[in-house]
Amino acid sequence: MKRIDSAKNEQVKNWKKLHTKKGRQKLERFLIEGDHLVKEALASNVRVETLLFTEKHKSVARNDVQGVLVSDSVMKELTVTENPQGVVAICEPPPSPPVETLAGGYVLLDRLQDPGNVGTIIRTALAAGMSGVVLGSGSVDLFNGKVVRATQGALFHLPVFQGNLKEWILRFQEQDIPLYGTALHDAEPYTIVSRQNSFALVLGNEGEGVDPVLLRQTNQNICIPQNYKTESLNVAVAAGILMYALKK
Amino acid sequence: MKRIDSAKNEQVKNWKKLHTKKGRQKLERFLIEGDHLVKEALASNVRVETLLFTEKHKSVARNDVQGVLVSDSVMKELTVTENPQGVVAICEPPPSPPVETLAGGYVLLDRLQDPGNVGTIIRTALAAGMSGVVLGSGSVDLFNGKVVRATQGALFHLPVFQGNLKEWILRFQEQDIPLYGTALHDAEPYTIVSRQNSFALVLGNEGEGVDPVLLRQTNQNICIPQNYKTESLNVAVAAGILMYALKK
């Protein structure tokens, strides 16, 4: 079994680059840390290229994946959580799933910036039985470590597309799938919409909401009635309320 | 107007203690930062003892609140967000609201640890028209800076009680208010419960859920059906789904 002890090792320096979007795009890999996420990745279709583990976590080694035993200092160098669990995996981003036929519920995210929100929405979408999430251009990077952690592994089990939302909206329209935008004004309470199997729900940027250009392309814009003139709900909470209210 | 330029000033050192629970309890004050939160506090019944602001933010000064002009270095010392907005307020914790008569919807939080979750639930509870939140013993401190920020000011407009949940549950039972626990097992889908005006909803610790002892005291335990064997939903998202599904 390969073994790396020095945090100055060239390979370690390379892996460390996976903590930046630029590094992930250049190397076409992403890095996940912790037992739970690694287990979820191994149980999915995502290809795990390399497993890194400390002496104490040697038991995660597998015959079918390249394993590297690393020192605690190397592990520390590669992880960002406060209590790293001694296990890291280097993964290949899954190929974008085919999109000829869209069926079921989808969530479209317009320029979401907070990695915790994006990750939590992916996690909730899987639980709510949605068919996929479309992460619109201008959103935080899907393979950002905080996004991946907030999904709790859900991104290994749910198709997540990335692309231009205007094009995606056309795709839904071509297939007669109703589109619901979310807005604070000029919108009907979500309770007027009945539960359905196939639909697309558009959620927007934490500060600005959904781009008005997109809101003009939807079938219906909906809101969540609020009792007090708050700053609106957190977008991940709003997404959860709407997915669970709309999905049949 | 009073002016403090040195971060080593004794008063500044004292205010800095408000970043810890121990300091907040000793001084019986809490500290909030940023335009939005300060504005929400000033518009509420919470007593703002002192307003601190930098030269650039002098316009927030008011006749009815003690104002202190501080240097950028003092402001930096007192704030924890990445881009402090130049305004800080020292506030008195509001007195616990009277509890003789409970009416409306309440959320009870059993040992919640994540400040973002607690703050987001308070924010959602206000939007959903609930009457109050009860933060059970063993939960994160209500006046923790991250909790306050995540409420987006909602804690200035919604009664938040703190105490022992077993006692609180008795209080709801005495007043014939139905109690719903949340659990992953031995629980019915929440959709069997019809919307109502008065009820109490118990949510639990991020890892362990609601204490089984409390679950035995409820009228009914409910769950949110999930399509995939996930690690369960994020508790703030679950709270949002349930409040909006149960509140009439």
Side-chain angles (χ1 to χ4, degrees):
Chain A
M1 187 180 295
K2 201 174 159 183
R3 187 186 169 112
I4 301 179
D5 287 322
S6 164
K8 287 179 181 155
N9 176 291
E10 280 305 313
Q11 186 68 274
V12 173
K13 284 187 193 165
N14 243 329
W15 285 325
K16 228 188 132 177
K17 289 182 187 152
L18 298 177
H19 288 303
T20 67
K21 184 176 176 182
K22 207 176 137 190
R24 289 189 292 272
Q25 286 179 335
K26 197 176 153 200
L27 299 169
E28 294 182 339
R29 295 287 180 278
F30 66 102
L31 181 157
I32 58 176
E33 57 183 277
D35 268 336
H36 174 69
L37 277 181
V38 170
K39 206 181 282 177
E40 291 290 330
L42 288 168
S44 77
N45 295 326
V46 168
R47 197 176 92 79
V48 177
E49 185 198 57
T50 311
L51 270 178
L52 309 171
F53 39 81
T54 55
E55 183 71 38
K56 237 169 110 180
H57 292 80
K58 249 166 71 175
S59 61
V60 302
R62 293 159 58 112
N63 289 332
D64 56 345
V65 180
Q66 173 184 218
V68 181
L69 182 66
V70 300
S71 63
D72 288 347
S73 64
V74 167
M75 186 53 69
K76 213 181 149 194
E77 197 70 16
L78 290 176
T79 49
V80 295
T81 50
E82 267 178 57
N83 302 303
Q85 289 167 295
V87 189
V88 155
I90 312 296
C91 309
E92 277 182 27
S96 208
V99 292
E100 294 87 56
T101 319
L102 295 164
Y106 292 85
V107 187
L108 279 58
L109 304 180
D110 179 29
R111 296 164 299 132
L112 254 65
Q113 299 304 308
D114 183 274
N117 285 341
V118 170
T120 302
I121 291 172
I122 294 172
R123 179 182 176 189
T124 309
L126 178 66
M130 303 291 279
S131 296
V133 172
V134 184
L135 191 60
S137 322
S139 296
V140 62
D141 181 41
L142 176 60
F143 297 107
N144 173 306
K146 286 184 191 169
V147 172
V148 177
R149 277 196 299 284
T151 70
Q152 295 265 338
L155 94 163
F156 300 124
H157 306 291
L158 185 75
V160 181
F161 307 89
Q162 299 189 68
N164 180 307
L165 291 193
K166 283 184 198 130
E167 293 167 15
W168 271 90
I169 285 180
L170 292 176
R171 209 166 275 160
F172 284 106
Q173 286 172 335
E174 278 165 15
Q175 304 199 23
D176 286 328
I177 291 177
L179 275 150
Y180 300 101
T182 50
L184 295 175
H185 308 288
D186 298 326
E188 297 287 330
Y190 71 90
T191 43
I192 69 154
V193 181
S194 55
R195 287 182 185 274
Q196 45 209 287
N197 279 320
S198 286
F199 64 94
L201 175 69
V202 194
L203 293 151
N205 177 278
E206 288 84 356
E208 299 169 15
V210 178
D211 182 346
V213 174
L214 298 180
L215 289 178
R216 283 195 291 272
Q217 289 181 264
T218 57
N219 297 71
Q220 171 76 57
N221 294 324
I222 55 177
C223 65
I224 299 177
Q226 292 177 45
N227 207 273
Y228 182 88
K229 196 174 45 68
T230 48
E231 274 286 278
S232 88
L233 293 161
N234 165 279
V235 65
V237 172
I241 294 167
L242 294 175
M243 285 189 251
Y244 267 93
L246 299 184
K247 186 80 182 85
K248 191 182 266 177
Chain B
M1 185 181 296
K2 198 173 160 184
R3 185 187 171 112
I4 302 179
D5 288 321
S6 164
K8 288 179 181 157
N9 176 290
E10 281 305 312
Q11 186 66 275
V12 173
K13 284 188 194 164
N14 243 330
W15 286 326
K16 228 189 131 177
K17 290 182 187 153
L18 299 177
H19 288 304
T20 66
K21 184 175 176 181
K22 205 175 139 191
R24 288 190 292 271
Q25 286 179 335
K26 196 174 154 202
L27 300 169
E28 294 182 341
R29 296 288 180 276
F30 66 102
L31 181 157
I32 59 175
E33 58 183 277
D35 268 336
H36 174 68
L37 277 181
V38 170
K39 206 179 285 176
E40 292 289 332
L42 289 167
S44 77
N45 295 327
V46 167
R47 197 177 92 81
V48 177
E49 185 197 58
T50 311
L51 269 178
L52 310 172
F53 39 81
T54 55
E55 183 70 39
K56 236 168 113 180
H57 292 80
K58 249 166 72 174
S59 61
V60 302
R62 294 160 59 112
N63 289 331
D64 55 347
V65 180
Q66 172 183 222
V68 181
L69 182 66
V70 300
S71 63
D72 288 347
S73 64
V74 168
M75 186 53 69
K76 214 180 147 193
E77 198 69 16
L78 290 176
T79 50
V80 294
T81 51
E82 267 178 56
N83 303 301
Q85 288 167 296
V87 189
V88 155
I90 311 296
C91 309
E92 276 183 27
S96 209
V99 292
E100 294 87 56
T101 318
L102 295 164
Y106 291 84
V107 187
L108 278 58
L109 305 180
D110 178 29
R111 296 165 299 133
L112 254 65
Q113 298 305 307
D114 182 273
N117 285 341
V118 170
T120 302
I121 291 172
I122 294 172
R123 179 182 176 189
T124 309
L126 179 65
M130 304 290 279
S131 295
V133 171
V134 184
L135 191 60
S137 322
S139 298
V140 62
D141 180 41
L142 176 60
F143 297 108
N144 172 306
K146 285 185 191 169
V147 172
V148 178
R149 277 197 299 284
T151 70
Q152 295 264 337
L155 93 163
F156 300 124
H157 306 292
L158 185 76
V160 180
F161 307 89
Q162 299 189 68
N164 180 306
L165 290 193
K166 283 184 198 130
E167 292 167 16
W168 271 90
I169 284 180
L170 291 176
R171 208 166 276 159
F172 284 105
Q173 285 172 335
E174 278 164 16
Q175 304 201 22
D176 285 330
I177 292 177
L179 275 150
Y180 300 100
T182 50
L184 295 175
H185 309 287
D186 298 326
E188 297 287 329
Y190 69 91
T191 43
I192 68 154
V193 180
S194 55
R195 288 182 185 274
Q196 45 209 289
N197 280 320
S198 287
F199 63 94
L201 175 68
V202 194
L203 292 152
N205 177 277
E206 288 85 355
E208 298 169 16
V210 177
D211 182 346
V213 173
L214 299 180
L215 288 179
R216 283 195 290 272
Q217 291 181 263
T218 58
N219 297 70
Q220 170 76 55
N221 294 324
I222 54 176
C223 66
I224 299 177
Q226 293 178 45
N227 207 273
Y228 183 87
K229 194 173 46 67
T230 48
E231 274 286 279
S232 89
L233 293 160
N234 165 280
V235 65
V237 172
I241 294 168
L242 294 175
M243 286 189 250
Y244 267 94
L246 299 184
K247 186 82 182 86
K248 193 184 264 177

